[in-house]
Amino acid sequence: PRLADRLVTRITETLVIDRIALMVADESANAFRAIRAQGFVGEPPLLPLDSGVGARVRSGHHVALDDPAALRRAGSDEIEFWRVQGVHYLIPCVSKQTGIAVLALGRKERGEPLSSEDMALLVAVAAQVATAIENGRLYQQLKAQAEQVERMRQSNENILESLDNGLAVVDADRRVIRWNRALEKVTGITRREAVGRSLADLLSPSLVDAIEA
């Protein structure tokens, strides 16, 4: 969120534009949804992924709504709808050949169109935005996986501790990595004392031989 705030503010100040929205593809809504905006009256509307403009952006093409070619590709009603919102440029943030977000921009405050240099800058910024979004998604996926592994570990730990029989888990070197509460009672050896040591250091030779047999 803070990155999106800084991005919107920086572009507004650098290009001196009257409005901007950073919109991210929301698959559940089948639309690009604004996560940060400046200069709009109220919340910017959704941009459907399967609309003429949305599909164009989704495929990685930027759209200048004042370009006559935009009328042919999207239709006059859709173009006019976004013009009424004050949006004249849509710059896709592309990852893996797909627009995963879009910068929706108005004109400069004096009504001037964006120059070719402005557009080049926006395309470069959009590429960085796409990378940041993908990195954020990857982080969230890794975080979710780590939480799932931790839940599984905790579940296994609870199962081991609930057993009435003594149970030890050892690694390939026969060093203890789990030592449940029941085994503490049987042997008088606490888990802290057992973990990291070999079975031969903890149990009688006959018992170790029986376990390994």
Side-chain angles (χ1 to χ4, degrees), residues 6-71:
R6 290 198 299 269
L7 173 71
V8 166
T9 300
R10 184 63 60 85
I11 292 177
T12 301
E13 293 175 347
T14 300
L15 299 182
V16 196
I17 55 176
D18 58 4
R19 71 200 64 204
I20 178 176
L22 172 58
M23 309 174 76
V24 176
D26 182 346
E27 301 294 343
S28 63
N30 193 38
F32 289 102
R33 184 189 300 276
I35 60 170
R36 287 295 180 275
Q38 191 167 308
F40 287 85
V41 178
E43 187 75 10
L46 299 177
L47 171 58
L49 300 179
D50 55 2
S51 66
V53 172
R56 187 75 178 159
V57 171
R58 188 69 161 160
S59 64
H61 297 90
H62 70 262
V63 179
L65 298 182
D66 295 329
D67 183 350
L71 288 172

Side-chain angles (χ1 to χ4, degrees), residues 165-195:
N165 297 326
L167 186 143
V169 179
V170 298
D171 61 17
D173 296 323
R174 296 292 191 272
R175 294 191 178 278
V176 174
I177 56 177
R178 291 286 188 277
W179 188 269
N180 74 349
R181 189 176 295 112
L183 197 54
E184 287 182 326
K185 294 179 180 179
V186 171
T187 62
I189 301 171
T190 66
R191 182 185 316 175
R192 179 176 297 181
E193 294 170 328
V195 170

Side-chain angles (χ1 to χ4, degrees), residues 1-179:
R2 286 179 294 179
L3 177 61
D5 285 334
R6 290 198 299 269
L7 173 71
V8 166
T9 300
R10 184 63 60 85
I11 292 177
T12 301
E13 293 175 347
T14 300
L15 299 182
V16 196
I17 55 176
D18 58 4
R19 71 200 64 204
I20 178 176
L22 172 58
M23 309 174 76
V24 176
D26 182 346
E27 301 294 343
S28 63
N30 193 38
F32 289 102
R33 184 189 300 276
I35 60 170
R36 287 295 180 275
Q38 191 167 308
F40 287 85
V41 178
E43 187 75 10
L46 299 177
L47 171 58
L49 300 179
D50 55 2
S51 66
V53 172
R56 187 75 178 159
V57 171
R58 188 69 161 160
S59 64
H61 297 90
H62 70 262
V63 179
L65 298 182
D66 295 329
D67 183 350
L71 288 172
R72 296 194 299 270
R73 295 183 179 122
S76 59
D77 290 345
E78 187 178 3
I79 297 298
E80 185 58 27
F81 171 81
W82 286 102
R83 282 178 174 168
V84 169
Q85 305 299 321
V87 173
H88 293 270
Y89 302 92
L90 294 153
I91 312 297
C93 307
V94 180
S95 175
K96 299 175 183 176
Q97 300 181 329
T98 300
I100 61 173
V102 59
L103 296 172
L105 306 108
R107 287 175 171 163
K108 293 194 173 183
E109 289 187 348
R110 290 181 292 181
E112 301 171 2
L114 297 179
S115 67
S116 57
E117 290 80 6
D118 295 333
M119 294 295 289
L121 173 62
L122 287 168
V123 169
V125 169
Q128 296 177 357
V129 171
T131 299
I133 291 173
E134 283 298 314
N135 288 343
R137 289 176 177 174
L138 177 60
Y139 170 77
Q140 291 300 327
Q141 290 171 358
L142 292 175
K143 181 180 178 182
Q145 290 174 0
E147 290 173 350
Q148 182 179 11
V149 169
E150 176 58 24
R151 287 193 297 270
M152 292 174 62
R153 187 200 66 78
Q154 189 61 49
S155 176
N156 290 338
E157 188 75 23
N158 292 338
I159 291 172
L160 292 179
E161 289 303 316
S162 67
L163 295 175
D164 294 329
N165 297 326
L167 186 143
V169 179
V170 298
D171 61 17
D173 296 323
R174 296 292 191 272
R175 294 191 178 278
V176 174
I177 56 177
R178 291 286 188 277
W179 188 269

